[in-house]
């Protein structure tokens, strides 16, 4: 079960310091508490990721390939 969107997957990667589904859920929940009222898009994204994490098992989470896929437009140093 990997129905995460590209954005949700990157968000989960960012908050996956524990390596566990419960740890990611706790970190996302904590981060959500710091969001400002105008951060609706991030709140919606976080809620969606939390819902999907809540529907999966720890084994399904462990089987995910969680590698962030960030595109940068900044040239490498010295270029």
């Amino acid at each position: 079960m990997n129905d995460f969107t590209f954005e949700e997957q990157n968000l989960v990667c960012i908050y996956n310091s524990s390596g566990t589904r419960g740890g990611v859920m706790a970190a996302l929940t904590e981060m959500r508490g710091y969001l400002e009222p105008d951060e609706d898009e991030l709140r919606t994204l976080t809620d969606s990721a939390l819902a999907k994490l809540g529907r999966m098992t720890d084994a399904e989470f462990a089987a995910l390939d969680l590698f962030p896929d960030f595109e940068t437009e900044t040239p490498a140093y010295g270029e």
Side-chain angles (χ1 to χ4, degrees), residues 16-69:
N16 186 25
S17 62
S18 68
T20 67
R21 183 177 66 94
V24 173
M25 292 178 73
L28 287 172
T29 300
E30 180 180 352
M31 175 274 290
R32 190 185 187 287
Y34 293 105
L35 294 177
E36 296 293 328
D38 64 340
E39 295 179 291
D40 292 329
E41 189 174 334
L42 183 53
R43 182 175 290 104
T44 300
L45 180 65
T46 302
D47 289 346
S48 178
L50 281 167
K52 290 176 183 181
L53 287 165
R55 290 191 301 266
M56 66 183 357
T57 66
D58 290 336
E60 289 171 326
F61 178 81
L64 294 176
D65 289 325
L66 293 176
F67 299 100
D69 187 8

Side-chain angles (χ1 to χ4, degrees), residues 4-15:
F4 289 102
T5 65
F6 175 81
E7 292 81 8
E8 290 166 344
Q9 184 170 341
N10 280 333
L11 185 67
V12 169
C13 288
I14 291 167
Y15 286 91

